[in-house]
């Protein structure tokens, strides 16, 4: 990326040689992203990230009077878009998930209506890592005259993606979930899918996304896509899954009254969401952070109150269990020593927090 902040500064839309250099770099990146997703370079639209890609897919297609089908566990980039569409005169069906966090494709089929325009169901969930049956949903779509978008922000670079196998018309990815920089992403738009742009301006990105390209970011996304594809082709992610499995196994063994949320569903290799009975997720998150381990909760702070994760509550987990759950995610730089470090901290910190907890009742815990 570095030269594209300095010596290669041309605007990729300019005719002069500076512009031609950066145009070539943008088009190379487009080829790399297309190769990761199994589509043609012309079917890639660069965006400012996953949120914009999701918004372009949804608002680019859906108009008042249309019906869309989505799920209760989508990222807010999709959920809040759906909510906004409802206020703008669209109908939305939110299909539920089961206790493992999985959408039932038959629910999607049953939700179809004559005015259904779009189905938007994510490929991998950002809190649990659970992989949705997108290929089965793609088959339903093939029989009905509807568009299919999938938010693959958490799946890209972690599992192989082939848009033809999925049968989707639109698919979103985001740079910073695959070791590219923040603030860049892409939307796959199947050839022949006519989208109304979000922004009005120049004819960049084949008139699908106006505005001068973020060349350095796009170059970074392209290189990350090449590295991700190479790692997937070489089967390198099996190692990450082994480390993730070790985190789960050891926590469940060493720390009583714990469970993995979505344990029995297919999942991306880097994520696990673990419940610690009697613990407030935020307290655990802060305590671990102070010791150098960064984890997250799916909780949202709205109007001063911490709301339990919408994903875990949609899975039917009680609010206390959702509040006591933490997401651990690994990146490709993580090592076995990092896992040792995390494991050595977690049982100590959880024990200390439980000692302080007014609600944790050791005697009541069933092993
Ligand atoms: N979709 C999912 C599943 C995500 O996890 C995220 C980010 O965390 C987004 C969309 C939004 O992507 P971005 O932060 O690039 O806008």
């Amino acid at each position: 990326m570095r030269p594209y902040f300095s010596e290669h500064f041309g605007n990729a839309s300019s005719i002069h040689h500076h512009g031609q250099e950066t145009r070539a770099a943008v088009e190379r990146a487009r080829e790399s992203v297309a190769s990761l997703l199994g589509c043609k370079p012309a079917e890639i639209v660069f965006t400012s990230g996953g949120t914009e890609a999701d918004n372009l897919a949804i608002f680019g297609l859906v108009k008042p009077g249309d019906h869309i089908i989505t799920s209760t566990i989508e990222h807010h980039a999709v959920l809040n878009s759906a909510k906004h569409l409802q206020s703008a005169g669209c109908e939305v069906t939110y299909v539920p998930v089961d206790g493992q966090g999985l959408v039932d494709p038959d629910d999607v089929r049953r939700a179809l209506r004559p005015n259904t325009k779009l189905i938007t169901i994510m490929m991998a969930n950002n809190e649990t890592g659970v992989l949705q049956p997108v290929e089965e949903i793609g088959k339903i779509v093939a029989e009905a005259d509807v568009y299919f978008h999938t938010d693959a922000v958490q799946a890209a670079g972690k599992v192989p993606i082939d848009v033809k196998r999925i049968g989707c018309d639109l698919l979103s990815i985001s740079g910073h979930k695959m070791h590219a920089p923040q603030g860049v992403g892409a939307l796959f738009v199947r050839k022949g899918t006519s989208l109304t742009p979000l922004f009005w301006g120049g004819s960049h990105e084949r008139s699908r996304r106006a505005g001068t390209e973020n060349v350095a970011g796009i170059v970074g996304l392209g290189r990350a896509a090449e590295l991700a594809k190479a790692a997937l082709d070489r089967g390198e992610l099996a190692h990450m899954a082994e480390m993730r499995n070790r985190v789960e196994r050891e926590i469940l063994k060493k720390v009583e009254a714990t469970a993995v949320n979505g344990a029995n569903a297919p999942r991306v290799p880097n994520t696990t969401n673990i419940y610690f009975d009697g613990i407030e997720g935020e307290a655990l998150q802060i305590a671990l952070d102070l010791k150098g381990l960064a984890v997250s909760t799916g909780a949202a702070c709205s109007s001063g109150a911490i709301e339990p994760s919408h994903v875990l509550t949609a899975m039917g987990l009680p609010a206390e269990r959702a509040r006591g759950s933490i997401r651990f995610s690994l990146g490709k730089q993580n090592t076995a020593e990092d896992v040792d470090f995390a494991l050595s901290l977690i049982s100590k910190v959880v024990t200390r927090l439980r000692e302080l907890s007014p609600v944790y009742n050791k005697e009541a815990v069933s092993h």
Side-chain angles (χ1 to χ4, degrees):
M1 291 171 65
R2 210 170 279 143
Y4 296 91
F5 288 116
S6 51
E7 63 258 40
H8 300 318
F9 53 80
N11 180 330
S13 301
S14 299
I15 304 279
H16 50 61
H17 70 281
H18 296 298
Q20 285 176 24
E21 267 168 15
T22 47
R23 169 56 52 204
V26 167
E27 296 316 314
R28 271 197 305 276
R30 202 184 301 281
E31 282 170 22
S32 304
V33 173
S35 161
L36 179 71
L37 305 182
C39 65
K40 298 190 194 75
E43 294 175 312
I44 295 296
V45 179
F46 289 117
T47 66
S48 63
T51 302
E52 187 191 328
D54 287 345
N55 274 258
L56 178 56
I58 296 169
F59 292 101
L61 279 176
V62 181
K63 301 285 165 290
D66 291 338
H67 170 241
I68 76 166
I69 301 170
T70 187
S71 80
T72 47
I73 55 151
E74 299 296 312
H75 188 272
H76 284 112
V78 169
L79 277 184
N80 285 341
S81 296
K83 230 198 252 175
H84 182 74
L85 281 172
Q86 275 178 299
S87 68
C90 297
E91 296 169 307
V92 182
T93 301
Y94 299 88
V95 292
V97 291
D98 65 14
Q100 294 299 318
L102 280 166
V103 166
D104 180 349
D106 283 336
D107 283 338
V108 176
R109 190 195 308 276
R110 279 190 288 268
L112 285 167
R113 297 181 193 170
N115 63 336
T116 306
K117 182 68 160 282
L118 174 72
I119 295 172
T120 172
I121 306 275
M122 70 198 325
M123 189 164 176
N125 183 265
N126 42 302
E127 293 185 32
T128 58
V130 169
L131 285 159
Q132 298 302 324
V134 284
E135 289 180 27
E136 283 178 60
I137 296 169
K139 289 192 191 108
I140 295 170
V141 171
E143 292 162 16
D145 184 20
V146 295
Y147 291 99
F148 179 25
H149 165 245
T150 186
D151 175 337
V153 164
Q154 294 286 342
K158 315 227 174 69
V159 290
I161 296 181
D162 179 344
V163 292
K164 293 187 193 75
R165 280 190 68 159
I166 298 172
C168 58
D169 304 289
L170 302 133
L171 180 144
S172 306
I173 65 168
S174 170
H176 64 117
K177 305 299 178 188
M178 45 184 283
H179 298 278
Q182 296 161 346
V184 65
L187 180 67
F188 153 73
V189 184
R190 182 177 300 289
K191 186 168 185 258
T193 308
S194 170
L195 284 184
T196 305
L198 292 178
F199 310 146
W200 296 95
S203 54
H204 311 81
E205 298 292 299
R206 296 173 189 247
S207 296
R208 294 167 299 189
R209 204 276 186 176
T212 300
E213 293 89 342
N214 165 12
V215 175
I218 289 169
V219 166
L221 183 62
R223 184 70 184 129
E226 286 166 20
L227 294 171
K229 183 158 191 322
L232 283 166
D233 290 348
R234 288 196 296 262
E236 277 172 21
L237 278 90
H239 174 60
M240 190 183 277
E242 270 167 35
M243 287 200 294
R244 187 272 314 271
N245 293 346
R246 195 175 140 231
V247 170
E248 284 182 1
R249 230 182 12 251
E250 295 289 312
I251 291 179
L252 264 52
K253 197 166 81 188
K254 285 194 182 141
V255 191
E256 63 183 20
T258 50
V260 175
N261 298 318
N264 299 323
R267 288 179 291 154
V268 288
N270 75 316
T271 306
T272 179
N273 192 299
I274 302 188
Y275 160 61
F276 297 87
D277 184 34
I279 295 277
E280 274 294 327
E282 278 66 42
L284 180 55
Q285 182 183 23
I286 293 164
L288 292 174
D289 185 46
L290 288 171
K291 306 265 184 210
L293 179 65
V295 298
S296 64
T297 67
C301 187
S302 56
S303 57
I306 295 176
E307 296 289 330
S309 147
H310 71 282
V311 175
L312 301 182
T313 44
M315 287 163 67
L317 304 183
E320 311 80 70
R321 177 158 171 167
R323 285 207 175 87
S325 295
I326 286 279
R327 178 188 70 178
F328 298 87
S329 38
L330 291 103
K332 65 182 180 191
Q333 288 94 352
N334 284 132
T335 60
E337 290 72 40
D338 293 334
V339 173
D340 293 340
F341 168 72
L343 290 170
S344 70
L345 273 183
I346 292 161
S347 66
K348 269 188 256 164
V349 172
V350 171
T351 306
R352 188 167 56 79
L353 288 177
R354 281 180 174 165
E355 280 163 9
L356 301 171
S357 166
V359 292
Y360 185 68
N361 180 354
K362 196 170 189 300
E363 309 313 317
V365 168
S366 54
H367 295 274

